[in-house]
Amino acid sequence: MTDAVLVYVGLIFGGILVAVVTALVAAGIVIVVQRFTDAARERHDGYVDAIGMVFAVVGVLYAIVLAFVVITVWDQMGSARQDSFTEATALVDVYAYAENVQDPARSEIQLLARSYAEQVIRDEWPAMQHHESVPLNGWNTLDRLREAVRGTGPHADASDATVDSYEAAMNALTTASEARTARATASTRGLPLVMWFLLVGGGLLTIAFAYLFDIAGLVSQLIFTVGLTVMVVLLLYAVYQLEYPFARGERIEADAFRFALARFAQLSG
């Protein structure tokens, strides 16, 4: 089995384990709460109505916040994946530009492009998988690559095609730099601690009110409360896995730069 398959298998089994443990704990709490609140339910006629009103307000507010966070981390994951491919594709464009440049500039540009992709895979991706800052060595290589391309600037009597090709290569380097900045930012940008406090605290409060509902029959109460609890916990599990795009279970791998290295080899014949 490949590493990617093992990661997904671990992610799925982790989710199943979280769901099963949560269901067992929730069922136990339902039984305990039912046993010790029966007398209170019988003495107060407005008990269920009051709990229902509070639960409706708290539940709606929490659902809005949780949905917003899930969408945000999912969008961040998609943007980070797109940025990595944008950066790698721009690097391929620069490498392809060098194919039409005379040596020694061609060899220097292609060597730097290949070195940059290898640095990203070898040095930067392991750091990002621990949501650490991206090393600065890659910036040095990218700056040297920019200077090497700038050194191939067309002469005054160059054809329009030559000028356009050069400008496209410089624009590709700008695109790669911007995508690199976005990737470096995403690797360390998790949810603020106060947001996790809100997610966990709001989830506990929402679930706590659900335990106090008076639904006819223990089985119905178990289905309602355990289902709600498992759903909330699984969504929090998903947020945790997606919080850092390049780390944890649902992480982005360095496939874009492996593709770039394959394209380099293809372009060089």
Side-chain angles (χ1 to χ4, degrees), residues 85-104:
F85 274 94
T86 298
E87 183 181 359
T89 302
L91 205 62
V92 172
D93 292 340
V94 174
Y95 192 96
Y97 163 77
E99 284 293 310
N100 299 317
V101 175
Q102 298 297 319
D103 276 328

Side-chain angles (χ1 to χ4, degrees), residues 9-22 230 233-234 237 241:
V9 170
L11 192 64
I12 292 172
F13 275 99
I16 292 173
L17 180 62
V18 168
V20 170
V21 172
T22 300
V230 171
V233 171
L234 285 179
Y237 176 76
Q241 295 294 346

Side-chain angles (χ1 to χ4, degrees), residues 189-209:
R189 184 178 58 196
L191 291 176
L193 184 60
V194 66
M195 185 59 71
W196 273 113
F197 177 79
L198 176 61
L199 290 175
V200 175
L204 291 174
L205 186 62
T206 302
I207 293 170
F209 281 114

Side-chain angles (χ1 to χ4, degrees), residues 68-96:
F68 173 78
V69 172
V70 170
I71 293 172
T72 298
V73 295
W74 180 257
D75 286 345
Q76 179 177 295
M77 173 72 72
S79 297
R81 181 178 286 105
Q82 181 61 45
D83 287 336
S84 66
F85 274 94
T86 298
E87 183 181 359
T89 302
L91 205 62
V92 172
D93 292 340
V94 174
Y95 192 96

Side-chain angles (χ1 to χ4, degrees), residues 131-178:
H131 42 88
E132 298 173 353
S133 298
V134 173
L136 294 177
N137 293 340
W139 283 113
N140 295 333
T141 305
L142 193 60
D143 290 339
R144 290 169 59 197
L145 179 59
R146 185 187 300 276
E147 289 303 315
V149 173
R150 184 176 288 117
T152 64
H155 300 292
D157 57 347
S159 65
D160 291 342
T162 301
V163 173
D164 291 342
S165 179
Y166 169 77
E167 291 179 349
M170 293 301 295
N171 290 335
L173 284 170
T174 300
T175 299
S177 179
E178 292 173 350

Side-chain angles (χ1 to χ4, degrees), residues 19-42:
V20 170
V21 172
T22 300
L24 293 175
V25 173
I29 295 176
V30 168
I31 295 173
V32 172
V33 170
Q34 287 280 312
R35 179 179 178 183
F36 288 98
T37 59
D38 283 344
R41 297 169 196 265
E42 294 174 359

